[in-house]
Amino acid sequence: AKDMPKAKTFAEKAFKADKSSWQAAKIAGMAARRLGDIPVALQMLERALRLQEDNETRYELASTLKRLGRVEESLPHYERLLHAQPDHDDGWNELGSIYLAHRMLAEAEQCFRRAIAISPQTPLFHANLARTIFCSGKLPEVMTEIKTCLHLDAGNPEWHTMLAKALTLQSQER
């Protein structure tokens, strides 16, 4: 992290020296993003993609746009990424979270299930699926996913909170 400003400066200089270097633009964009310089990050990531199609760059650009609240702009990047690289678990998770935020529950559930199929040991994917199916009222399935989260990452208090809420709702249904 300490060397990140140096990396960004180095990559920007390399890009200025060779405007056709998509790698330098990509590295500068990724470094700028991690440093919080979002305008530079977007500019460099977009340049990198114009110079060379690259799934990692597309993911970085899509997730940067999403974090800025520019969801509509991020969607085609996620879709294009997942068309090119259907095993990109984080891409499926991010797309699912966009669908969940827009209450497109069937689409969100499908995305989270794809992410889990690729990386079943990632508790966040199970938690996001649990949140989605909770909205659909599938409480038994919610419990299964939360228990999976606890099995994979017992120390995370968020999973315990989710379990407590689900148990409370389950007892109210009886």
Side-chain angles (χ1 to χ4, degrees):
K2 260 196 303 188
D3 293 331
M4 194 61 69
K6 290 179 188 173
K8 178 185 167 217
T9 302
F10 178 77
E12 286 174 338
K13 285 180 182 178
F15 181 73
K16 285 178 185 173
D18 180 2
K19 295 282 187 191
S20 66
S21 175
W22 70 273
Q23 294 99 334
K26 172 183 169 178
I27 292 167
M30 292 170 71
R33 179 174 177 229
R34 281 160 183 76
L35 290 169
D37 192 348
I38 302 305
V40 169
L42 289 174
Q43 179 185 31
M44 297 309 279
L45 292 169
E46 287 169 346
R47 280 186 187 170
L49 276 177
R50 281 194 300 272
L51 293 168
Q52 172 76 42
E53 181 61 37
D54 175 66
N55 292 334
E56 184 181 16
T57 307
R58 186 160 301 284
Y59 176 75
E60 288 286 331
L61 178 59
S63 58
T64 301
L65 289 166
K66 180 180 174 250
R67 281 171 182 72
L68 286 172
R70 293 165 58 180
V71 175
E72 296 303 318
E73 288 177 70
S74 73
L75 274 173
H77 290 290
Y78 283 121
E79 290 166 350
R80 194 163 169 186
L81 164 72
L82 294 167
H83 179 75
Q85 187 179 346
D87 64 342
H88 197 290
D89 56 354
D90 288 323
W92 287 112
N93 184 61
E94 293 288 331
L95 185 59
S97 66
I98 291 170
Y99 289 146
L100 179 58
H102 286 86
R103 306 291 293 169
M104 298 170 67
L105 301 180
E107 294 85 349
E109 182 177 340
Q110 181 182 14
C111 289
F112 294 133
R113 289 191 188 282
R114 294 277 307 258
I116 290 168
I118 298 162
S119 297
Q121 299 299 312
T122 305
L124 177 63
F125 300 165
H126 291 277
N128 286 340
L129 177 58
R131 288 181 186 99
T132 303
I133 56 182
F134 178 84
C135 294
S136 301
K138 303 174 189 173
L139 201 51
E141 249 188 284
V142 171
M143 297 297 286
T144 301
E145 292 303 323
I146 294 171
K147 288 176 183 174
T148 301
C149 291
L150 286 165
H151 173 73
L152 295 171
D153 183 16
N156 190 324
E158 184 179 353
W159 315 151
H160 294 277
T161 302
M162 288 176 70
L163 180 61
K165 288 178 183 177
L167 287 170
T168 301
L169 282 172
Q170 192 174 41
S171 69
Q172 290 172 353
E173 286 184 354
R174 291 180 186 180

